[in-house]
Amino acid sequence: MKLKDQVAVITGSAQGIGKTIAETFAKEGANIVITDINIEKAQATADEIKSKYNVETIAIASNVTKLSDCENLIAKTLDKFQKIDILVNNAGITKDNLVLRMTEQEWDAVISVNLKGVFNSIKAVTRTMFKQRHGRIINIASVVGIMGNPGQANYSASKGGVIALTKTCAKEFSSRNILVNAIAPGFIKTAMTDALSDEVKAKYAEVIPLKRLGEAQDIANSALFLASEDSSYITGNVINVNGGMYM
């Protein structure tokens, strides 16, 4: 098992890609902290993973836009497990609109969750990982943070910021053996894309060289690689998981 007895905190992990990452880590022996703004869903996911994979889990409610919530998340995790080996910053939202029509509230909300939330979570865990002299931080960015996308100025800016933050933290933390990397997903099948018509999904697939949308498991597999010792000489990198949409 690649992550046996390690402790992984995954934000926004009650459902979707975050849940798939949590399950993939649990299969490899990690104890899991499910954290989400929706505590009911978080608890249900934590219970399911504990039962399914025979690992220890805990569900903690947190709003990543609040540093105090992130600090509370880390404190409760340490109370339960006494260490934190892996942090996956997965929590994110979209509020798409053209720049001409985008409201200040739509801009602020996305930047606050997707970029400030990553900063808050990293800041909250840094002292612990520095003391341990070990850690893995994995930030979920996006292909549009690299190439942009019409109607997603706020989302693109937030994810581009996550990539820059990843590289800076990698440089600042490397002396303490803390590796910081990002994953930039392309179009991935999620509850959000499931709501799209077949016609719209076909249009998305047309711009992807592999001619299909990705699966949440594709992202989870990359996260597992970055969390494990297989990636022990990789930091400050962005793994593009997009079917060739950006090369």
Side-chain angles (χ1 to χ4, degrees):
M1 286 187 171
K2 291 185 176 182
L3 303 179
K4 185 166 176 57
D5 297 327
Q6 292 194 38
V7 176
V9 177
I10 305 158
T11 69
S13 51
Q15 59 188 346
I17 291 172
K19 180 180 179 181
T20 304
I21 292 172
E23 290 198 82
T24 301
F25 285 8
K27 284 178 193 173
E28 292 293 334
N31 297 313
I32 305 295
V33 179
I34 300 294
T35 179
D36 203 281
I37 203 164
N38 186 325
I39 188 58
E40 290 80 14
K41 280 188 179 180
Q43 189 62 62
T45 297
D47 292 343
E48 178 187 340
I49 289 174
K50 181 175 183 176
S51 171
K52 216 172 184 180
Y53 302 106
N54 195 31
V55 297
E56 290 299 311
T57 64
I58 185 173
I60 302 171
S62 70
N63 180 343
V64 294
T65 68
K66 298 177 180 178
L67 179 58
S68 59
D69 272 26
C70 295
E71 290 172 338
N72 180 60
L73 165 65
I74 298 307
K76 285 186 174 180
T77 299
L78 292 173
D79 284 345
K80 170 76 172 177
F81 295 113
Q82 291 77 56
K83 66 171 185 169
I84 300 170
D85 299 290
I86 304 156
L87 168 66
V88 180
N89 286 306
N90 168 76
I93 62 169
T94 58
K95 288 186 182 291
D96 296 349
N97 218 334
L98 296 172
V99 169
L100 189 67
R101 297 176 186 147
M102 185 173 290
T103 66
E104 185 178 7
Q105 289 75 23
E106 287 170 336
W107 173 272
D108 288 347
V110 171
I111 296 296
S112 186
V113 174
N114 296 5
L115 181 53
K116 184 184 177 186
V118 174
F119 168 77
N120 284 343
S121 298
I122 291 174
K123 184 170 176 62
V125 81
T126 299
R127 192 176 299 277
T128 296
M129 286 189 173
F130 268 46
K131 285 181 180 177
Q132 294 172 170
R133 292 184 171 271
H134 171 82
R136 299 283 194 276
I137 298 173
I138 302 163
N139 300 322
I140 306 301
S142 171
V143 65
V144 304
I146 301 170
M147 60 185 284
N149 197 39
Q152 290 194 304
N154 49 5
Y155 190 76
S156 298
S158 71
K159 295 301 187 176
V162 165
I163 290 169
L165 177 61
T166 297
K167 292 175 180 292
T168 296
C169 290
K171 290 182 176 182
E172 289 189 8
F173 301 171
S174 59
S175 65
R176 298 301 179 100
N177 194 34
I178 300 166
L179 309 185
V180 189
N181 292 289
I183 299 170
F187 289 123
I188 305 298
K189 291 179 186 175
T190 61
M192 185 171 64
T193 56
D194 285 344
L196 299 174
S197 68
D198 290 341
E199 183 183 2
V200 171
K201 283 188 270 193
K203 284 181 180 177
Y204 279 157
E206 273 304 306
V207 302
I208 302 169
L210 290 184
K211 301 302 180 190
R212 62 179 176 84
L213 274 63
E215 305 283 348
Q217 191 62 55
D218 295 319
I219 308 307
N221 291 342
S222 295
L224 175 60
F225 168 69
L226 291 174
S228 74
E229 284 303 305
D230 292 341
S231 65
S232 62
Y233 198 56
I234 298 174
T235 194
N237 267 273
V238 182
I239 296 183
N240 292 294
V241 186
N242 58 41
M245 185 178 169
Y246 174 85
M247 301 185 186

